[in-house]
Amino acid sequence: MLKKQLIMEKALELFSEQGFEATSVQQITERCGISKGAFYLSFKTKDELVISMVDHYLQKFIIDIDQVVRGAYNKETILIEFYKSIFQAFKDHSASARVFFNEKVFLTKKELFHKITAYEAEMSKSIIYMLEQLYKDKLQETKYDVMYCIKGFMKSYAEIFIFSDMPLDLEQLAKSLAEKTNIIAYHTTIPFITEELVPFIAKPCEQDVSKDALLQLFEQNIVNEEDSIKRESLELLKQEIENPTYSTAIIKGLIENLRIDPAYHWIAYVSAKYFNI
Amino acid sequence: MLKKQLIMEKALELFSEQGFEATSVQQITERCGISKGAFYLSFKTKDELVISMVDHYLQKFIIDIDQVVRGAYNKETILIEFYKSIFQAFKDHSASARVFFNEKVFLTKKELFHKITAYEAEMSKSIIYMLEQLYKDKLQETKYDVMYCIKGFMKSYAEIFIFSDMPLDLEQLAKSLAEKTNIIAYHTTIPFITEELVPFIAKPCEQDVSKDALLQLFEQNIVNEEDSIKRESLELLKQEIENPTYSTAIIKGLIENLRIDPAYHWIAYVSAKYFNI
DNA sequence: TATACTAATGACTAATCGGTCATTTGTCAA
DNA sequence: TTGACAAATGACCGATTAGTCATTAGTATA
């Protein structure tokens, strides 16, 4: 398990230096100080590595945003917190940001394209949720346009973090963008992205958490888990999917048992979505 | 010369389908219906092809924007014209947009990275010029932030054009973004990108048109030009660089002789810059 | 028709790719 | 020390790559 981590880290370095296609398995194993064979003990193929990496690095990012957005609600600060957490992530993980937000080699691999666009859709949902909480029904017509503006701000300003290692004032940036967001939200009158347009421009993505996918996720993790409480929680939740019996409180508790472990953040996140918690 | 054009077109198709590294010279020549040897008669290496492509496709884009921005000034419509021309370009050339704005394989090749960032800097200059004309000194502190917002709008909304072929109302989009730009320009009070910060986040780029580079550009084109007026114009401009003699009007006229020919748009553009016209 | 020249070809090379697998190394309990 | 098992190795494979070059096809002049 540690070996996988090492390979992913070193691969990320190389991908951000040279790109995915241009980086060979040889180079990755050399930087790791392991043999080529050892690589294939951890990952079946080079593609499997990059799929794992996308999951690993983007899950963190999405979960961070979602936690900020659904966390304790303070209208005055939520936008600032939102932008701060995003750019803090860009600052801390500029290598993965460079690879996953800019490298669209992935566009050529259909599976990865769907994965990445699914994560992006997840982020869009979080932003929309935030806008609904912040501006209530003041923002009916222009909701999606404001979301696109926020995404635009992110993309545009992220470049500064990705391509330079200057010390930057995150607080000031967050304030500046929060102000812009408020201005846009309150003053925009001409929408472009209408409610009818949304389904057409939405990227192909797994709309909801599929039952089978979730079951498979549980099965994968049950076999590797050694901690008895976590394994039992996984078992019970798996049974609950196939045969609902327990109350919401119990299910939430089981999910929280998993959420403690950073490795289970994602499974907790999608489980909560599946059970509507 | 036509062969080069053919190769660039087909290569663009393949790059936008599969990415640069994943596309082989073999595939390009197959799609062109020519032999592998013929490819190497037009381009010395695969890298030279992609460098030529960047020049060819980005030059057009930059020149378009610059012409709109420096064209007849009507405060009411300039922003709308600006956005319309940009998204029209994204619509018409979604393949090259996909390749050059999203494929950052190029980031790994230093020469290309510099080229692309130089073109981006060129675009930034055009936007700043437009903002200065539009808002005069109302926009001192927040000029660069507004520019970043505009770039953000472009990046965010461009996705819709790049990844879907829906019929979209360009006029409505341009109006919507023009409104947003005005709102941001008039209401933003908290800057992030200050005048001092600019040189640090500016990408490495050829700041001004270098004399030697321009001379070389002229020499390359003089030998291939058959039309006597164009060749003489090139000759005279080349002499003018080394030994200034003529008045601005004459120089401008010579440049206009070249500008008629689409193939000389770029040389006209950089010459005008060099002679401050 | 013969000659001279350029344009175009595709078999070829050396290098590198992702991936495999017989073999070696390391680590236990007995 | 031995035997059993897992972890790790790197030589090796077939496929593919960018790039070369001796050869051929096509064309214009004499």
Side-chain angles (χ1 to χ4, degrees), chain B residues 5 37 77 112 140 184 222 242 255 259 266:
Chain B
Q5 189 75 31
T77 60
L112 280 171
Q140 274 307 342
I184 288 277
I222 286 169
E242 301 190 278
I255 292 173
R259 208 191 293 275
W266 184 250

Side-chain angles (χ1 to χ4, degrees), chain B residues 69-265:
Chain B
V69 161
R70 312 216 177 231
Y73 240 83
N74 181 334
K75 278 204 175 188
E76 298 302 312
T77 60
I78 188 72
L79 268 174
I80 292 174
E81 291 306 315
F82 169 78
Y83 282 117
K84 254 166 72 181
S85 82
I86 281 174
F87 288 104
Q88 185 67 54
F90 277 128
K91 200 175 178 179
D92 294 344
H93 311 289
S94 65
S96 54
R98 185 158 46 236
V99 171
F100 297 116
F101 283 82
N102 284 300
E103 263 247 32
K104 293 288 173 63
V105 176
F106 304 121
L107 291 178
T108 63
K109 314 237 174 207
K110 287 231 165 124
E111 191 184 353
L112 280 171
F113 176 71
H114 287 148
K115 237 181 212 307
I116 290 181
T117 49
Y119 281 115
E120 255 207 72
E122 217 44 63
M123 190 176 70
S124 298
K125 277 190 213 161
S126 292
I127 294 174
I128 287 288
Y129 176 85
M130 179 177 71
L131 293 177
E132 280 167 351
Q133 298 297 312
L134 260 178
Y135 306 107
K136 305 285 177 195
D137 33 326
K138 273 180 233 155
L139 212 67
Q140 274 307 342
E141 297 272 293
T142 57
K143 193 161 65 179
Y144 293 101
D145 278 283
V146 175
M147 180 193 78
Y148 263 72
C149 290
I150 292 175
K151 282 195 186 178
F153 296 155
M154 282 171 55
K155 285 180 198 193
S156 203
Y157 283 83
E159 268 194 20
I160 303 174
F161 289 82
I162 289 174
F163 293 115
S164 110
D165 45 8
M166 273 203 71
L168 293 161
D169 186 348
L170 271 184
E171 190 74 37
Q172 176 74 9
L173 173 58
K175 272 188 202 161
S176 177
L177 291 183
E179 187 200 41
K180 287 178 184 58
T181 306
N182 269 318
I183 291 167
I184 288 277
Y186 282 116
H187 293 86
T188 300
T189 63
I190 307 171
F192 173 68
I193 301 167
T194 54
E195 197 87 47
E196 313 96 73
L197 197 62
V198 174
F200 290 99
I201 59 174
K203 328 290 170 38
C205 66
E206 318 138 18
Q207 263 306 52
D208 280 304
V209 181
S210 109
K211 191 174 153 180
D212 287 341
L214 195 56
L215 278 173
Q216 212 187 324
L217 201 58
F218 274 108
E219 271 157 31
Q220 273 171 20
N221 284 280
I222 286 169
V223 291
N224 292 322
E225 185 50 61
E226 284 154 12
D227 180 278
S228 68
I229 290 196
K230 286 179 203 159
R231 196 174 54 247
E232 206 184 329
S233 300
L234 288 166
E235 293 271 17
L236 286 170
L237 284 169
K238 193 191 141 197
Q239 286 166 27
E240 182 69 20
I241 294 169
E242 301 190 278
N243 178 21
T245 41
Y246 297 111
S247 70
T248 312
I250 292 175
I251 296 166
K252 177 139 172 50
L254 293 171
I255 292 173
E256 291 312 313
N257 289 341
L258 299 175
R259 208 191 293 275
I260 301 159
D261 184 344
Y264 286 130
H265 266 169

Side-chain angles (χ1 to χ4, degrees), chain A residues 79-96:
Chain A
L79 268 173
I80 291 174
E81 292 305 316
F82 170 79
Y83 282 117
K84 252 165 76 180
S85 82
I86 281 173
F87 288 105
Q88 185 67 53
F90 277 130
K91 198 175 179 179
D92 294 345
H93 311 288
S94 65
S96 54

Side-chain angles (χ1 to χ4, degrees), chain A residues 28-238:
Chain A
I28 296 170
T29 57
E30 270 166 21
R31 187 165 296 197
C32 290
I34 61 171
S35 71
K36 212 172 165 189
F39 173 92
Y40 286 95
L41 291 176
S42 292
F43 299 98
K44 276 207 281 292
T45 64
K46 192 185 168 189
D47 280 352
E48 198 191 279
L49 163 67
V50 77
I51 289 169
S52 300
M53 285 173 67
V54 169
D55 275 329
H56 187 248
Y57 291 103
L58 290 193
Q59 273 174 22
K60 271 193 204 164
F61 192 78
I62 298 295
I63 290 167
D64 273 6
I65 292 177
D66 200 69
Q67 269 172 355
V68 170
V69 161
R70 311 213 178 234
Y73 239 84
N74 181 332
K75 278 205 176 190
E76 299 302 313
T77 61
I78 187 72
L79 268 173
I80 291 174
E81 292 305 316
F82 170 79
Y83 282 117
K84 252 165 76 180
S85 82
I86 281 173
F87 288 105
Q88 185 67 53
F90 277 130
K91 198 175 179 179
D92 294 345
H93 311 288
S94 65
S96 54
R98 185 158 45 234
V99 171
F100 297 116
F101 283 81
N102 283 299
E103 263 248 29
K104 293 286 174 66
V105 176
F106 304 120
L107 291 178
T108 64
K109 312 240 175 207
K110 287 230 165 123
E111 191 183 355
L112 280 171
F113 176 71
H114 288 148
K115 237 182 211 305
I116 290 182
T117 50
Y119 281 115
E120 254 208 72
E122 223 35 69
M123 188 176 72
S124 299
K125 278 190 213 161
S126 293
I127 294 175
I128 288 288
Y129 176 84
M130 178 175 73
L131 292 176
E132 281 165 351
Q133 297 298 313
L134 260 179
Y135 305 108
K136 306 283 177 198
D137 32 328
K138 271 180 235 154
L139 211 67
Q140 273 308 345
E141 297 271 293
T142 57
K143 193 160 65 179
Y144 294 101
D145 278 283
V146 175
M147 181 194 78
Y148 264 73
C149 289
I150 291 175
K151 281 195 185 179
F153 296 156
M154 282 170 57
K155 285 180 197 192
S156 203
Y157 283 83
E159 269 194 17
I160 303 174
F161 288 82
I162 289 174
F163 293 116
S164 112
D165 45 8
M166 272 205 72
L168 293 161
D169 186 348
L170 271 184
E171 190 73 38
Q172 176 74 8
L173 173 58
K175 272 188 201 162
S176 176
L177 291 183
E179 187 199 41
K180 287 177 184 59
T181 307
N182 270 318
I183 291 167
I184 288 277
Y186 283 116
H187 293 86
T188 298
T189 63
I190 308 171
F192 173 68
I193 300 167
T194 55
E195 198 87 45
E196 314 95 73
L197 196 63
V198 174
F200 291 98
I201 59 174
K203 328 289 169 42
C205 66
E206 318 137 20
Q207 261 308 52
D208 280 304
V209 182
S210 111
K211 190 173 153 181
D212 287 340
L214 196 55
L215 279 172
Q216 213 187 324
L217 200 59
F218 275 108
E219 272 156 30
Q220 274 172 19
N221 284 280
I222 286 169
V223 291
N224 292 322
E225 185 50 62
E226 284 154 15
D227 180 279
S228 68
I229 290 197
K230 286 178 203 161
R231 196 174 55 248
E232 206 183 329
S233 301
L234 287 166
E235 293 272 15
L236 286 170
L237 283 169
K238 192 192 142 195

